[in-house]
Amino acid sequence: MDLDPKIPQYSTGDPNSFGWQTGRRRWPIIITQAIDDAYRAVAHCPDPEKQTEGKRIVEALTKLKYEVQHDRALTPLPDDGYPDIATYNAELEQLNSPTWLKSPWLYTECYLFRRIATSFALSSHWKNYDVFARQKTSTFRSSRPAVLELAARYKDLMSQLQNHPDQPREAQELLFAEMAEICLWGNATDLSLLTSLTYEDIQALQGSEARKKAEANILVNDLPSCFAHLLEAKQSGKKERRVDIVLDNAGFELFVDLVLAGYLLSAGLATHVVLHPKSIPWFVSDVLPSDFAALLNALAAPRWFYETPSGEEELQGKTPEKLSDKEVEELGFLFQEWSRFHAEGQLVLRPNRVWTGPGSFWRLPEEAPELVEDLKGSEVVIFKGDLNYRKLVGDAAWDPTTPFTEAIGPLGPGSGLNILALRTCKADVVVGLPPGKDEELKALEDGGGDSGARKWAWNGKWAVVSFSKGS
């Protein structure tokens, strides 16, 4: 906490913050969905010992929901054998026993998912169970139209790059911008925020038409600076040029992250891409290493993945539409490309418990110096999504005109880290806006008006793409 910005953080106790809505509306829904999943898994479990243990997990999650809804005090996390528990509990002690609905939003939401994880980690039979996996799979299946569209575009693009490797700078920059923007808006599907998504809702958030309409909604766009940096590194003749991606959501967003990674490797803007998933189920839809494997498996057997009716579809008597041979071929092309990059060591996964810690990334130089030193070897570290952005800027109530380079503190200029944040706004904090822009957005319908709330930043309609050069 001592390393964080000296500016107040957003709180679940502030009626004008999205943290207020989160604690009272979203968290109970998320916990209920976890209870339902665990209950369903237990009901289909043939092993009596495992079933008994599963029932205890359901009871623990039910108790957690009660505590949240009745604004009880947060209690120390039980030791599940991982060192981050001590970090969580030390910060909890410093916070003086806060209650769920009157506490720092960032810490408390991280605590929530860490506590859910302990419920499973303390068991013998459920240690590696992902209580959110079913939701992630269902949402990725619902993303089918956008997946097929991008698969076709990607295959065509890779063919163009192979046949015309020496494109003019303007064409290269335009292509980079398109790939990065696809990656940016893939974050629109976030299960921890969109807790009641329908199939139609998901399709409306994805696809080329949605991206074209959203271009005007990128409030800060530093992609030209990032591209210039990557191109300069390529033209310098440097043999190894690495790009890191600190991942956010699984499913469709991981799919578009891989679209960007594959493009960077094929276009020669990177020789290696390091993906940083989470180590535990996190904020419902965040990427675990198993989600990467599941995505590749889906691409390897797309007919099985997309044409096999889910349990819900069977109950409704629905049969998924068949894939065409062309669609199967295009998805197979992605599988071959990405699995080859992975097999040859150009695309690697590197999970780290740091990403599921309780605090801001201002703490990284002191709390994870080896990780920071390693990231200095990257041409660009791309931080995906809302939570990573909140952690970069400390989830503090910055003036919205504060430069991004200032708001990321010790990770900014002089740190040796080149950072690109791709973020669709789903929380109050935002920096780098031109003067008057926040007021203009608040004046829009449902933008917040004179209430003091920054409601325009809650729905994922607006985005910021912020770059900080570490030298």
Side-chain angles (χ1 to χ4, degrees):
M1 288 174 67
D2 294 338
L3 303 170
D4 295 339
K6 305 308 176 192
I7 295 172
Q9 282 193 339
Y10 287 96
S11 168
T12 59
D14 177 3
N16 289 324
S17 79
F18 193 46
W20 174 280
Q21 310 280 341
T22 294
R24 289 155 182 79
R25 296 176 187 172
R26 285 175 45 230
W27 288 347
I29 292 172
I30 288 168
I31 301 169
T32 299
Q33 290 171 337
I35 292 169
D36 290 346
D37 181 276
Y39 182 84
R40 183 173 167 182
V42 169
H44 290 88
C45 179
D47 182 341
E49 190 177 323
K50 184 176 180 180
Q51 192 174 72
T52 299
E53 204 172 49
K55 288 177 180 177
R56 286 200 294 268
I57 292 171
V58 171
E59 288 171 6
L61 295 176
T62 304
K63 180 175 183 286
L64 173 61
K65 181 181 174 182
Y66 176 88
E67 290 177 17
V68 172
Q69 291 184 307
H70 293 81
D71 196 21
R72 296 294 192 254
L74 277 68
T75 56
L77 292 170
D79 186 0
D80 62 6
Y82 292 98
D84 62 329
I85 291 290
T87 306
Y88 270 93
N89 289 342
E91 185 156 347
L92 181 61
E93 190 175 347
Q94 284 183 288
L95 290 170
N96 249 349
S97 300
T99 62
W100 282 96
L101 306 180
K102 302 180 194 68
S103 59
W105 178 22
L106 178 62
Y107 172 84
T108 309
E109 195 156 21
C110 292
Y111 169 96
L112 168 69
F113 287 97
R114 188 64 184 88
R115 180 156 157 193
I116 290 173
T118 63
S119 302
F120 293 89
L122 289 167
S123 70
S124 298
H125 299 280
W126 299 85
K127 283 185 184 296
N128 298 315
Y129 184 75
D130 180 2
V131 73
F132 305 120
R134 213 186 306 261
Q135 292 181 62
K136 289 187 268 192
T137 299
S138 174
T139 306
F140 187 49
R141 279 170 57 93
S142 298
S143 302
R144 169 175 162 165
V147 168
L148 296 177
E149 177 195 329
L150 283 176
R153 173 79 177 113
Y154 183 88
K155 185 174 184 293
D156 181 53
L157 177 65
M158 293 305 107
S159 174
Q160 290 180 42
L161 286 175
Q162 189 173 12
N163 296 329
H164 307 284
D166 298 319
Q167 295 180 328
R169 179 193 166 105
E170 293 77 8
Q172 293 182 58
E173 184 169 355
L174 187 65
L175 194 50
F176 172 78
E178 181 182 352
M179 293 297 103
E181 286 179 22
I182 287 170
C183 193
L184 166 71
W185 292 112
N187 180 247
T189 308
D190 183 338
L191 299 183
S192 76
L193 290 143
L194 304 171
T195 47
S196 56
L197 267 185
T198 65
Y199 180 79
E200 290 74 21
D201 292 333
I202 292 169
Q203 291 185 71
L205 289 167
Q206 300 162 344
S208 61
E209 287 304 312
R211 288 196 306 277
K212 285 175 187 173
K213 288 178 184 176
E215 278 179 7
N217 291 6
I218 302 177
L219 303 172
V220 177
N221 194 341
D222 290 340
L223 286 176
S225 299
C226 183
F227 172 75
H229 175 75
L230 288 171
L231 186 63
E232 182 184 350
K234 177 184 177 181
Q235 292 175 341
S236 71
K238 198 174 175 183
K239 278 196 171 182
E240 291 203 0
R241 288 166 285 105
R242 181 178 124 201
V243 170
D244 287 65
I245 305 178
V246 182
L247 299 171
D248 191 29
N249 298 313
F252 183 71
E253 186 175 354
L254 176 59
F255 179 82
V256 296
D257 291 341
L258 292 174
V259 165
L260 177 61
Y263 157 73
L264 291 172
L265 292 169
S266 297
L269 289 172
T271 58
H272 298 81
V273 174
V274 178
L275 305 176
H276 297 265
K278 306 300 189 299
S279 301
I280 58 173
W282 188 249
F283 279 66
V284 182
S285 47
D286 280 32
V287 179
L288 299 175
S290 56
D291 294 317
F292 176 79
L295 190 148
L296 288 184
N297 287 339
L299 296 178
R303 291 197 191 279
W304 166 80
F305 183 75
Y306 282 117
E307 295 179 4
T308 305
S310 65
E312 289 77 9
E313 286 169 332
E314 285 181 340
L315 288 173
Q316 296 167 5
K318 289 184 178 179
T319 303
E321 188 179 339
K322 301 286 186 184
L323 293 172
S324 69
D325 291 343
K326 181 174 180 289
E327 288 167 339
V328 170
E329 180 194 346
E330 287 161 349
L331 293 173
F333 176 81
L334 265 63
F335 170 74
Q336 290 165 8
E337 284 278 293
W338 296 345
S339 58
R340 174 174 60 83
F341 285 140
H342 185 50
E344 293 177 359
Q346 287 184 276
L347 183 66
V348 300
L349 272 73
R350 199 172 292 169
N352 193 313
R353 287 261 167 179
V354 164
W355 307 124
T356 51
S360 80
F361 292 155
W362 279 50
R363 307 174 185 183
L364 291 181
E366 185 162 317
E367 295 186 350
E370 291 181 2
L371 172 65
V372 172
E373 199 58 37
D374 176 60
L375 294 177
K376 287 179 184 178
S378 182
E379 297 301 330
V380 176
V381 184
I382 302 173
F383 285 86
K384 289 295 308 292
D386 194 74
L387 178 62
N388 281 326
Y389 184 92
R390 289 171 61 199
K391 288 197 164 206
L392 281 169
V393 301
D395 205 37
W398 296 100
D399 183 292
T401 62
T402 305
F404 176 72
T405 50
E406 178 185 334
I408 61 176
L411 303 185
S415 67
L417 296 173
N418 302 311
I419 289 175
L420 178 70
L422 296 178
R423 181 238 188 168
T424 55
C425 303
K426 300 170 190 170
D428 306 84
V429 64
V430 65
V431 297
L433 299 188
K437 193 65 182 180
D438 183 43
E439 291 77 9
E440 178 189 324
L441 293 167
K442 281 182 177 176
L444 297 174
E445 186 179 357
D446 296 326
D450 297 327
S451 67
R454 190 173 286 138
K455 290 185 180 180
W456 65 262
W458 296 357
N459 57 20
K461 178 182 177 182
W462 304 92
V464 289
V465 178
S466 302
F467 182 61
S468 173
K469 200 159 181 176
S471 56

